[in-house]
Structures are given as structure tokens and as C-alpha cells.
Amino acid sequence: MIATDLTILVLYYSRNGATRKLAELIAQGVESVSGCEARLRTVPAVSTVTTATEPEIPREGAPYVELRDLEECAGLALGSPTRFGNMAAPLKYFLDGTSVQWLSGALAGKPACVFTSTGSLHGGQEATLLSMMLPLLHHGMLLLGLPYTHPELMTTTSGGTPYGASHWSGANGSHAISEDTRLLAVALGRRLAETASRIICH
């Protein structure tokens, strides 16, 4: 029997809101699975010098993530905008501080997926997704992508990859999320939640 409080952590960093919108769609997919709930969390911006740059509580959007959110989750969806084909520094800064969870194996065996948004269509979507997978592999997580049983992967012109959901937001974030991108993001969240449920049940 599936636990009624199975929590899937949807952790993201978003500067202009595009990655946040993807996170919300993935959360929608998670919550379409019976017995699963999405916990949306973000990370604060970081500075090039060691001074605080953000208030302790975000002005809007999801609360800041805490390390216990990682320990409590049954699965993880990790999202970031692209920064030169890599994840954004605030997200990497947070992950760099998870050594205690790595040593304890807190995330080992849990399913995970990744998602991203880019300013240009060929701005490094796949490289960014792969960069986010690396620390998750070190944590022993089970990585999920999107299979080609989703026909939108063959028709999309706005993002979407077998490595994870993605969105071409435009340089100023003006591109709305397309129907193909929406369907793929929801499907990714659903797949993550279904996998976590199967693992917990067995």
C-alpha cells in the first residue's frame, strides 16, 4: 500500500521565472500520482564575495530548501537555468554543501530527474542537464529521463530532451511554455512519483 505522505522534492533555482514555471508543471505531474505530494523549494542567489545577498525568507515563490528536505524526500527533481552549458552557481553552491548527506547515503537509491530552461534554443540545454546529473550520481541516486514513448520528444521545437524536461524561454524570458514542453514536464514529474512509489512499496 502506498504511503499517503510520500514527498517528492522539486528543487530549483530560477532568475526570471522560466525554470520556476517548469518546476510547477513537474510538481503538477508528481501530484497526479495517488499518495504523492510535491514539495517545491528553491535556493538563494549567491554573491561573488562572501556576503549575504538575499533575505532569510524569499519575497515570493517557494521557500528556501533545507538539508532535511533532501533527507525526507522519496525522490528529487532538480532544475536550473543554463549558465554557459552548466547549472547556475546558486544550485551548485547548495549541492556543494551536501557532504554530510553524501557520507551518510541519505539520497542513495532514491529516484531523481533534472530540468532546465535556456535563453537560446541551442544554449546548452543537454549539457546543463548532464551537469546536474553528476552530483546526483555521486549521491547514489537513480536517474530518470524521458523515454521516446512520449511523442512530443519528436515534434517539439521549444525544448524537451530524453535527459529531462527543458524550455526555450528566450533571452528576456518572453517565450511562453509550449504545449509540448508542458506535456513533457508533467510527464517527467509523474514518472518520478510513480518510480518513487514503486520503490517504497517494494
Side-chain angles (χ1 to χ4, degrees):
M1 189 171 181
I2 297 173
T4 56
D5 59 350
L6 198 62
T7 300
I8 305 298
L9 177 61
V10 183
L11 173 59
Y12 68 92
Y13 173 71
S14 187
R15 179 98 183 239
N16 297 312
T19 309
R20 175 182 170 183
K21 290 174 185 173
L22 271 184
E24 290 166 351
L25 288 168
I26 287 170
Q28 181 182 322
V30 166
E31 296 193 339
S32 72
V33 177
S34 177
C36 293
E37 65 174 7
R39 182 182 293 179
L40 280 163
R41 293 291 185 267
T42 189
V43 294
V46 295
S47 172
T48 54
V49 294
T50 55
T51 57
T53 61
E54 297 286 339
E56 289 186 12
I57 300 173
R59 294 181 184 90
E60 61 179 355
Y64 292 138
V65 69
E66 297 178 10
L67 291 172
R68 67 178 179 83
D69 291 316
L70 288 177
E71 295 165 0
E72 294 172 358
C73 75
L76 170 66
L78 188 67
S80 172
T82 292
R83 294 292 182 263
F84 303 107
N86 208 325
M87 77 177 90
L91 195 60
K92 186 173 188 303
Y93 180 82
F94 172 76
L95 291 172
D96 283 349
T98 60
S99 294
V100 170
Q101 288 68 34
W102 171 66
L103 287 168
S104 70
L107 294 175
K110 295 180 180 182
C113 65
V114 291
F115 59 100
T116 190
S117 61
T118 54
S120 58
L121 184 57
H122 302 291
Q125 289 186 2
E126 294 179 348
T128 300
L129 294 172
L130 292 169
S131 78
M132 287 189 286
M133 289 179 183
L134 297 178
L136 304 185
L137 286 168
H138 278 261
H139 274 286
M141 301 197 81
L142 309 174
L143 294 177
L144 302 174
L146 281 163
Y148 277 92
T149 51
H150 296 287
E152 297 81 15
L153 282 176
M154 296 297 286
T155 59
T156 181
T157 58
S158 57
T161 79
Y163 309 107
S166 64
H167 166 52
W168 173 30
S169 62
N172 57 2
S174 61
H175 295 179
I177 289 180
S178 71
E179 182 62 8
D180 282 344
T181 296
R182 185 190 72 79
L183 289 170
L184 290 168
V186 170
L188 186 61
R190 185 182 306 115
R191 189 167 195 237
L192 177 62
E194 288 172 345
T195 302
S197 296
R198 289 193 195 102
I199 291 171
I200 294 296
C201 287
H202 294 85

